Amino acid sequence: MSTNVAKDPHGRPEGGQLVLASQYLPAPRDPYGLLAGYPATDTETPDHSYLDIILEIWRIVYKRKWLILSIAAAFLTIGTLRTLMKTPLYTATARLQIDRNVAKIVNTEGVLPIESGDSDFMRTQYELLKSRNMAERVVSSLTLGDDPDLLKPREFSLLGLITGLFSSPNKPAIDGSAASAAAVGVVMGNLAVQPVMGSSLVDLSYTDTSPARAQRIANAYGDAFMSANLDKRFQANASAKTFLEDKIQQLKLRLEESEKKLLVFAQDQQIVDVNDKASIAETNLASANAALGNLIAERTKNEQLWKQAESGESIDLPQLLNDKSIEGLRAKRKELTIEYQQKLQIFKPDFPAMVQIKNQLDEIDRQLASEANTLRDSMKGAYEASLAQEKEMRSRIETLKADVLDLQKRSIQYNILKREVDTNRELYTSLLQRYKEVDVASGVGSNNVFVVDRAGLPGGPSSPDLFRAILMSLALGLGAGLGIAYLIERLDNKVRSVEQLEVASGLPTLGVIPNVTHVEEQLADVRSALNESFRSLCTSLQFATDDGLPRTITITSAGPAEGKSLTSIAMAKHFASLGRKVLLIDADLRNPSLHQKLKGDNSAGLSNYLTGACSPPEVMQKTEIENLAFIASGPLPPNAADLLGGPRVLSLLSIGCEVFDLIVIDGPPVLGLADAPLLASAASATIFVVAAGTARTAVIRGALKRLQLARANLVGTILTKYDAKSVTYGYGYGASSDHQYQYHYGAAKPKSEPAIEQIPQLADLRQRLVKMADKT
């Protein structure tokens, strides 16, 4: 709907023009959707989903509280009776210590397999404790197969009691093997193995009806496990000894045979093995190689000295510098040279004294050259001698290599035979040593299982625990009650709230009529809750269409007894009280009721007019209310649908609109009949009434579909018989201390909300509605 209206700078219409507030006002908070269609604003409160879930759960609990309490009480009663009927049970507990490693009395290794980790080892021990073999040991040691009390049933069984009454008292005796097998099953079923976390301790708990028997079986389990552990070690050692004896005998024969083969081959090849050392040829070759290395080093040294002496100056040789005699000659030559240079400044070179000094210098030079030549010759001789020795040693090494290669060729098979002998000797020695260790270990009674605490006599029953059973029964009962209540609530498709109605119908809800008692008294009181709800409905109806209040309104529902007649009367009375001329028609030609509520005459009415027996003024009746006329249904016709489908209905409405401002038609329910669709198609607007907690979703949708197929103008729905306590949101009315009626909208636990005067949009809307009512 849109209207072109001039507006002021604030967005309001100019010139006193009246337009709907929905064109410019934001949508106020409206839990019932009566002002649906307003544009959303930023001031809307966000949806608190968690709070909605909590409120929904609380609503279900409050609604189904008696069902939940009944189920909880039933569970509590059954659980308490079942606990009281149980036989008292006693639990005895023995504590064992299971070490991974056995205390070594002698330094020997065990022959038992080793688990990969501590957790695997302890888990293996727990399973061994719960094994059938352990239970058989305990039953055998205590002769529990001969104890008839052990095999008696512990739990009370109503079926067993009834069977025992009709069965023969002389039961056949159970043989010994069957009794022992049954006792083993009982013992296994009542044993509990509980490891102590973070330690190598484990608790063995046995539960029985007799405290003494529980103590004996718990202690017997600890003793049996210790004995079984020792037996397992003895059996493993015995098996290991037998295995080792066989292997030692085989290795002994193999060692002797391999030694004989080695000796024969050494004699044939003339190979002498001395304490597993290298042969003589190999030793000589190694020595020759070492000597050759020394000779090569010596030759290289002498060669370098000779080359240095041959290429250098004689007087500069390092060997001459280190010689004492050469050092004296050099010192004397130095003195003469200094003296010669000093006298050369005074005398000439041919002066006798100068010639004498020169001759002395020449003699010293000759002596130094002679010493250098002698040294050079000695170095050359040393080099030649070391070179000859190196050549001779190389020739000897080649001879020794040939001898070693020949020996290695002949020693290949010898080494193979020798390694086989060594291997067989090592295996034989190690197995023989292991056999001695196992023989010693088999006679040592070491164990890794110890009894830390033996089981004591139980001082009281361990079960049943009455207090715990009561708490569990109560918890289970409450849980089952909540689950059943939620399931019933989910399976219940009856419409009980405005939200459910709008989802089911797809139409806006025009009004919500509370479920009240003493309807007559409520209608007589102008300020009652019922009248307030009908006034709210009529106000919403004036804005249901583009043209305002419809001229002809058909009121129908999916089924009977949903409040159509009461709604029709209340709407007609309200608009008549406003000064409008209203015609109320009872169009239910199958089950009329308006004439009884209005205390009118039903001898003539709508059916007479539809058959052509009379005119409309002849069937109209005056009521106690001013401006309100009434047409009863009249005698019930056999063909109601044919009459309502004729043209006289449209004629009645057309003529009535010329005289009356509003025509309210109380129609029949839709059900499977054609009456309601015919009336809805004839009227300008149709209102669908739904009784809360009565109509189902599928029925509502089916009825609305039929009305839509009849081209009915459905303007909205009305929720009647509404109980605010059954849903999360609602409204309530109450009287204050001064007997003035007050009401509030909101949640079942309302929050503080601002007054209408504090919301400018709502205050402005209220003023405009008042002006509109004054003009009409």
Side-chain angles (χ1 to χ4, degrees):
M1 179 179 63
S2 62
T3 304
N4 295 326
V5 180
K7 300 180 180 180
D8 60 12
H10 298 285
R12 296 187 176 90
E14 296 179 351
Q17 294 179 352
L18 178 62
V19 296
L20 294 180
S22 59
Q23 296 179 4
Y24 62 91
L25 285 182
R29 297 186 61 183
D30 180 26
Y32 294 105
L34 297 179
L35 298 177
Y38 282 57
T41 62
D42 297 336
T43 58
E44 291 183 351
T45 305
D47 182 18
H48 300 284
S49 58
Y50 293 107
L51 180 60
D52 293 341
I53 294 174
I54 294 174
L55 292 176
E56 178 67 13
I57 294 174
W58 172 250
R59 184 189 66 81
I60 295 175
V61 172
Y62 185 80
K63 178 180 177 181
R64 309 286 181 180
K65 57 182 177 296
W66 296 117
L67 174 63
I68 297 173
L69 292 177
S70 299
I71 295 175
F75 269 77
L76 181 61
T77 303
I78 294 173
T80 304
L81 292 177
R82 184 174 179 273
T83 303
L84 293 176
M85 294 169 66
K86 282 185 176 181
T87 304
L89 299 178
Y90 300 86
T91 301
T93 302
R95 175 163 291 187
L96 303 181
Q97 178 180 348
I98 304 176
D99 295 331
R100 179 176 175 81
N101 299 319
V102 183
K104 292 184 178 181
I105 301 176
V106 294
N107 189 17
T108 58
E109 296 293 336
V111 296
L112 293 177
I114 299 176
E115 286 76 5
S116 59
D118 292 338
S119 61
D120 295 338
F121 171 76
M122 296 303 295
R123 192 179 299 112
T124 303
Q125 302 305 310
Y126 302 152
E127 295 300 324
L128 289 175
L129 282 169
K130 294 185 287 187
S131 64
R132 188 174 186 83
N133 183 32
M134 290 299 303
E136 291 175 350
R137 280 177 172 265
V138 173
V139 170
S140 177
S141 63
L142 298 180
T143 63
L144 296 177
D146 299 334
D147 190 351
D149 294 337
L150 182 68
L151 304 179
K152 288 183 178 180
R154 301 183 178 185
E155 298 291 338
F156 174 79
S157 175
L158 184 60
L159 180 61
L161 179 61
I162 297 175
T163 305
L165 294 177
F166 294 97
S167 61
S168 59
N170 298 324
K171 296 182 179 180
I174 304 176
D175 58 353
S177 59
S180 298
V184 169
V186 172
V187 170
M188 291 179 64
N190 294 282
L191 177 70
V193 178
Q194 183 64 37
V196 180
M197 298 302 295
S199 68
S200 59
L201 302 177
V202 58
D203 291 336
L204 295 178
S205 301
Y206 186 81
T207 303
D208 198 277
T209 57
S210 171
R213 186 166 58 228
Q215 179 189 18
R216 288 191 296 112
I217 294 177
N219 289 326
Y221 248 102
D223 297 338
F225 189 65
M226 293 179 60
S227 301
N229 197 51
L230 287 176
D231 293 345
K232 181 173 63 175
R233 295 184 180 278
F234 289 147
Q235 292 175 4
N237 288 331
S239 300
K241 285 179 62 178
T242 304
F243 172 77
L244 290 175
E245 286 177 354
D246 184 29
K247 290 297 181 181
I248 287 173
Q249 187 65 27
Q250 295 178 10
L251 283 175
K252 182 179 180 182
L253 297 176
R254 190 186 303 173
L255 177 60
E256 292 176 355
E257 183 180 355
S258 60
E259 287 178 342
K260 289 179 182 179
K261 289 182 180 180
L262 179 64
L263 181 61
V264 171
F265 185 81
Q267 291 177 352
D268 293 342
Q269 298 296 327
Q270 297 296 318
I271 298 175
V272 178
D273 188 7
V274 182
N275 297 328
D276 296 334
K277 295 181 180 180
S279 62
I280 297 175
E282 293 174 345
T283 304
N284 293 335
L285 179 60
S287 300
N289 283 325
L292 177 61
N294 295 331
L295 290 175
I296 291 174
E298 183 67 22
R299 188 261 306 167
T300 302
K301 177 182 177 182
N302 294 332
E303 184 180 3
Q304 292 296 328
L305 290 175
W306 178 71
K307 288 181 178 181
Q308 182 180 8
E310 186 179 12
S311 60
E313 293 293 335
S314 299
I315 196 170
D316 295 330
L317 292 176
Q319 290 78 3
L320 293 177
L321 298 177
N322 296 329
D323 193 340
K324 296 293 184 181
S325 60
I326 298 301
E327 183 179 358
L329 291 174
R330 290 172 66 88
K332 187 175 180 181
R333 186 179 183 283
K334 184 177 181 181
E335 293 176 357
L336 291 174
T337 301
I338 294 171
E339 184 181 358
Y340 182 80
Q341 292 295 332
Q342 291 176 353
K343 290 182 177 182
L344 185 61
Q345 296 177 359
I346 302 172
F347 303 104
K348 292 183 177 181
D350 54 352
F351 188 73
M354 296 295 290
V355 171
Q356 184 179 2
I357 295 173
K358 178 64 175 172
N359 291 335
Q360 291 178 356
L361 289 173
D362 293 339
E363 180 62 24
I364 292 173
D365 291 337
R366 186 189 63 77
Q367 292 179 0
L368 289 174
S370 178
E371 292 293 334
N373 291 333
T374 303
L375 181 61
R376 187 180 294 109
D377 293 338
S378 65
M379 289 181 180
K380 182 177 180 181
Y383 164 67
E384 292 176 350
S386 60
L387 182 61
Q389 291 179 355
E390 179 183 351
K391 292 180 179 179
E392 183 179 357
M393 185 58 66
R394 288 183 182 276
S395 176
R396 178 173 175 77
I397 286 175
E398 293 297 327
T399 303
L400 291 175
K401 281 184 179 180
D403 295 341
V404 170
L405 290 175
D406 180 64
L407 178 63
Q408 288 179 349
K409 291 179 181 178
R410 292 183 291 110
S411 299
I412 292 176
Q413 186 63 29
Y414 176 81
N415 291 331
I416 293 174
L417 295 174
K418 185 173 180 298
R419 282 194 299 271
E420 184 178 1
V421 171
D422 294 339
T423 302
N424 292 334
R425 184 179 291 111
E426 290 177 1
L427 289 175
Y428 177 76
T429 303
S430 61
L431 287 180
L432 186 62
Q433 180 65 25
R434 184 62 174 164
Y435 177 80
K436 293 179 180 179
E437 292 175 356
V438 171
D439 190 22
V440 173
S442 62
V444 178
S446 59
N447 201 346
N448 63 329
V449 180
F450 308 95
V451 178
V452 178
D453 293 325
R454 298 188 66 83
L457 188 66
S462 58
S463 67
D465 189 347
L466 182 59
F467 181 72
R468 181 173 177 271
I470 289 175
L471 289 181
M472 289 186 63
S473 300
L474 184 59
L476 290 175
L478 290 175
L482 290 173
I484 294 174
Y486 181 79
L487 180 62
I488 293 175
E489 191 69 20
R490 293 300 96 187
L491 295 177
D492 184 10
N493 60 352
K494 293 181 180 180
V495 174
R496 302 180 186 276
S497 65
V498 175
E499 291 80 3
Q500 294 175 350
L501 177 57
E502 291 181 349
V503 171
S505 63
L507 298 173
T509 303
L510 301 177
V512 180
I513 311 303
N515 186 19
V516 297
T517 57
H518 308 291
V519 177
E520 298 296 336
E521 297 180 3
Q522 291 281 335
L523 289 176
D525 189 355
V526 181
R527 303 295 301 276
S528 66
L530 190 60
N531 280 322
E532 288 288 348
S533 62
F534 279 120
R535 277 193 289 271
S536 175
L537 166 63
C538 294
T539 303
S540 301
L541 190 58
Q542 297 182 45
F543 300 93
T545 65
D546 296 345
D547 300 328
L549 179 67
R551 298 294 301 276
T552 57
I553 302 174
T554 297
I555 299 177
T556 184
S557 65
E562 295 196 41
K564 299 184 301 299
S565 299
L566 180 61
T567 302
S568 303
I569 295 173
M571 287 175 55
K573 287 183 176 181
H574 174 74
F575 286 110
S577 65
L578 295 178
R580 299 192 180 189
K581 294 181 180 181
V582 181
L583 175 61
L584 178 61
I585 302 175
D586 189 354
D588 190 353
L589 302 182
R590 301 178 188 271
N591 186 21
S593 60
L594 286 184
H595 64 280
Q596 297 176 358
K597 295 181 173 60
L598 295 176
K599 300 178 182 180
D601 184 14
N602 197 35
S603 59
L606 181 63
S607 61
N608 301 99
Y609 164 73
L610 295 178
T611 57
C614 60
S615 61
E618 296 177 2
V619 295
M620 289 184 184
Q621 304 178 29
K622 293 184 178 181
T623 62
E624 299 177 354
I625 302 172
E626 187 179 359
N627 298 327
L628 177 60
F630 169 63
I631 297 179
S633 64
L636 301 183
N639 53 348
D642 295 338
L643 295 178
L644 295 175
R648 298 184 67 86
V649 174
L650 294 175
S651 299
L652 176 62
L653 297 180
S654 300
I655 296 173
C657 288
E658 297 177 0
V659 179
F660 296 95
D661 298 324
L662 175 64
I663 300 177
V664 179
I665 304 172
D666 181 18
V670 178
L671 293 176
L673 306 176
D675 300 6
L678 291 172
L679 290 171
S681 63
S684 59
T686 301
I687 299 176
F688 193 79
V689 178
V690 177
T694 302
R696 299 183 181 275
T697 303
V699 177
I700 294 173
R701 290 177 179 174
L704 291 174
K705 185 176 181 180
R706 290 197 61 197
L707 294 174
Q708 290 173 354
L709 292 176
R711 299 183 180 276
N713 181 23
L714 293 166
V715 296
T717 60
I718 300 174
L719 185 63
T720 61
K721 300 181 181 180
Y722 177 75
D723 185 6
K725 296 181 180 179
S726 63
V727 292
T728 305
Y729 285 93
Y731 65 86
Y733 294 83
S736 62
S737 58
D738 57 354
H739 301 285
Q740 297 294 325
Y741 286 92
Q742 298 177 351
Y743 57 91
H744 66 268
Y745 289 87
K749 202 172 183 181
K751 300 179 181 179
S752 60
E753 303 246 351
I756 292 179
E757 289 77 5
Q758 298 176 4
I759 304 177
Q761 295 87 348
L762 291 182
D764 189 24
L765 175 61
R766 185 177 65 175
Q767 293 176 4
R768 293 182 176 275
L769 291 178
V770 171
K771 292 180 180 179
M772 181 183 294
D774 294 338
K775 290 181 179 181
T776 56

